[in-house]
Amino acid sequence: QLICEYRYKPQRHTAEHLSIMPAESFIARKLRFKEKLSAGAIAISFFIMIVAVAISAGFRQEIRAGVSAVSGDVLLSSAGFSYYGEDGSISKEQSYLPEIQAYPGVAGIQPAVYRAGIVRNGQDIAGVVFKGVESSDSTLHARVPEHLAGQLGLKEGDKMLSYFIGNKVKMRNFVVEEIYDSLLDTDDAQIVYVPISDMQRLNDWDESQVSALEVTLDRHHTSREAIREATAGIGSICALSATENDDMPVAQASTDRFSTLFDWLDLIDFNVTAILILMTIVAGFNMISGLLILLFQNISTIGTLKALGMTDKNIASVFLRVSSSLVLKGMAIGNGLALAFCAVQGSTHFLKLNPDNYFISFVPVSLNVPMIILADAVAYEAIMLLLLIPTMFISKVDPAQTVRAQ
């Protein structure tokens, strides 16, 4: 009795195991996809897709941060505001500011004073925009963009003679306290940061008068639609909640003031979409060729499975399972290489760009995880749909001929 039990237990276990495992899965595990070229093409395609998504997100993040640093996402200023004079101030003490601060997506509100000026160092001059911000810096100290410092030969500790043209010409002698790397640091967009009190004295304003109030939005409100919606909402608060003692500022969206930059970002997104579609098609057709080779190599197996009673659909499922494992393997390799590239580029910035053409001196990368997952999922589904095309070959296989040939 013990010997019988010992002999039959393995048979009962095997039967249960086979009843749980589908026949398609069992057969698929026995087949091997030997097309290394197809696997390499899949990995390269996913590498390019993930890197493209990361670079697109990096450009949007860097440029959006640079624009926000220049004048906020929503700018509240008077209708008569001008960079070239002392007119057009508003008060930084408005009764409706708490409502704006509580508006969804608002991260902060900062007062600022803007004034166009001319900077001179020896025989070299340059036109800049001075921006007075609240800071702990000493009076008549300035933070100068790197491009301007190189253009005028300035370094930290140097004196910087500045001229302001309005009702009359005024001069200030600032000390370069810091040289910073600016995103929008070009010949026609150079911002010099100085204490707000210096600019208020320059314009003969009191401590409450400023050129504008800059409203900054959080990272979840970075799209054009979100910024414009926030601008409309903040403008409505100013119009509906202002009292007799409040100013009635005009709300301007950064997407309108820097429309060229946002148009350029939209073009990058369009290019990334084109790359995703192209790489998916390339990967899909590589897999189609590889699957056709696998089918031709296993014609006799297909005929045998048909003779055993398997339907065309079940046989197609076998080969699709084999192909799916290869696609997932290539996806994993491509994603891993892309993430490694992004980590190295994000920390070293070894790939450089011309800031005159790209607004930034390096290739930016940002790992937008939801977008990466979405790109992987859509590409995988598209490739598997394309692989349905070669499986139509299975219905053409005649088991009588293939088994006889075997």
Side-chain angles (χ1 to χ4, degrees):
Q1 184 179 2
L2 290 175
I3 294 174
C4 292
E5 288 181 1
Y6 175 79
R7 289 178 177 176
Y8 280 99
K9 279 183 181 179
Q11 294 177 4
R12 287 197 299 269
H13 175 75
T14 304
E16 292 174 2
H17 179 70
L18 292 176
S19 65
I20 292 174
M21 178 181 291
E24 293 89 345
S25 299
F26 178 79
I27 299 172
R29 291 177 60 182
K30 301 301 179 181
L31 293 176
R32 291 293 181 268
F33 210 127
K34 299 181 180 180
E35 287 297 315
K36 295 182 179 181
L37 182 62
S38 297
I42 293 289
I44 293 173
S45 297
F46 275 95
F47 171 81
I48 294 175
M49 285 190 287
I50 301 308
V51 169
V53 170
I55 291 176
S56 173
F59 269 113
R60 184 166 294 280
Q61 176 179 298
E62 293 291 337
I63 290 180
R64 191 258 182 190
V67 169
S68 181
V70 170
S71 59
D73 297 306
V74 181
L75 188 70
L76 300 177
S77 61
S78 68
F81 166 71
S82 172
Y83 287 108
Y84 301 100
E86 298 88 357
D87 301 327
S89 68
I90 63 173
S91 174
K92 67 177 182 180
E93 299 170 356
Q94 309 287 348
S95 63
Y96 48 75
L97 291 184
E99 292 185 52
I100 295 177
Q101 184 66 63
Y103 189 83
V106 173
I109 304 173
Q110 175 180 303
V113 177
Y114 303 100
R115 185 71 185 272
I118 298 174
V119 176
R120 177 180 177 183
N121 186 34
Q123 299 299 319
D124 298 320
I125 61 173
V128 301
V129 173
F130 285 84
K131 179 178 178 180
V133 296
E134 293 181 333
S135 67
S136 59
D137 295 341
S138 305
T139 183
L140 293 180
H141 278 65
R143 295 174 58 232
V144 178
E146 185 177 7
H147 185 81
L148 177 64
Q151 183 181 355
L152 300 181
L154 295 170
K155 57 183 181 297
E156 292 182 3
D158 287 351
K159 296 292 183 89
M160 185 177 66
L161 189 60
S162 307
Y163 299 88
F164 301 90
I165 301 174
N167 297 329
K168 60 180 181 179
V169 179
K170 298 180 180 180
M171 291 189 303
R172 294 292 187 273
N173 204 13
F174 290 96
V175 176
V176 179
E177 184 177 50
E178 178 186 351
I179 297 175
Y180 72 94
D181 184 16
S182 173
L183 173 67
L184 304 179
D185 191 5
T186 59
D187 288 332
D188 57 351
Q190 301 188 97
I191 308 294
V192 176
Y193 291 92
V194 297
I196 194 171
S197 57
D198 289 339
M199 303 308 294
Q200 288 171 330
R201 284 192 296 270
L202 178 72
N203 291 342
D204 296 322
W205 291 351
D206 60 40
E207 294 182 355
S208 66
Q209 289 180 284
V210 295
S211 299
L213 296 171
E214 299 176 353
V215 182
T216 304
L217 304 177
D218 60 32
R219 61 185 181 88
H220 300 295
H221 295 74
T222 60
S223 65
R224 271 192 168 185
E225 295 74 15
I227 294 176
R228 286 175 175 171
E229 182 180 349
T231 302
I234 292 170
S236 299
I237 291 175
C238 296
L240 299 175
S241 302
T243 64
E244 295 181 356
N245 298 325
D246 290 327
D247 296 310
M248 187 67 69
V250 177
Q252 294 178 293
S254 59
T255 53
D256 296 330
R257 288 179 287 112
F258 300 95
S259 59
T260 304
L261 282 175
F262 284 90
D263 289 340
W264 186 71
L265 288 176
D266 291 340
L267 180 61
I268 288 180
D269 291 342
F270 176 80
N271 292 337
V272 169
T273 302
I275 290 173
L276 293 178
I277 295 174
L278 180 61
M279 288 298 101
T280 300
I281 293 175
V282 169
F285 277 96
N286 272 282
M287 281 301 302
I288 286 175
S289 62
L291 182 55
L292 283 173
I293 293 173
L294 184 65
L295 291 171
F296 289 145
Q297 290 175 343
N298 291 275
I299 290 180
S300 59
T301 302
I302 295 172
T304 303
L305 293 176
K306 281 191 173 185
L308 292 174
M310 288 190 70
T311 63
D312 292 345
K313 182 179 179 181
N314 291 336
I315 297 173
S317 176
V318 171
F319 289 93
L320 287 176
R321 287 171 185 267
V322 177
S323 302
S324 175
S325 64
L326 183 68
V327 173
L328 291 175
K329 181 180 179 181
M331 180 192 300
I333 295 173
N335 277 253
L337 293 175
L339 294 177
F341 168 83
C342 292
V344 174
Q345 175 63 19
S347 59
T348 63
H349 299 162
F350 69 94
L351 291 181
K352 303 295 182 181
L353 294 174
N354 185 351
D356 293 333
N357 296 328
Y358 297 96
F359 307 103
I360 190 170
S361 60
F362 60 91
V363 177
V365 290
S366 177
L367 293 179
N368 189 333
V369 177
M371 281 299 299
I372 291 175
I373 294 175
L374 179 62
D376 281 342
V378 172
Y380 172 80
E381 292 296 332
I383 292 172
M384 296 309 296
L385 286 175
L386 287 174
L387 290 181
L388 293 176
I389 298 174
T391 58
M392 297 178 183
F393 166 78
I394 295 173
S395 63
K396 306 297 183 181
V397 176
D398 185 355
Q401 295 181 356
T402 56
V403 173
R404 188 185 303 116
Q406 185 179 9

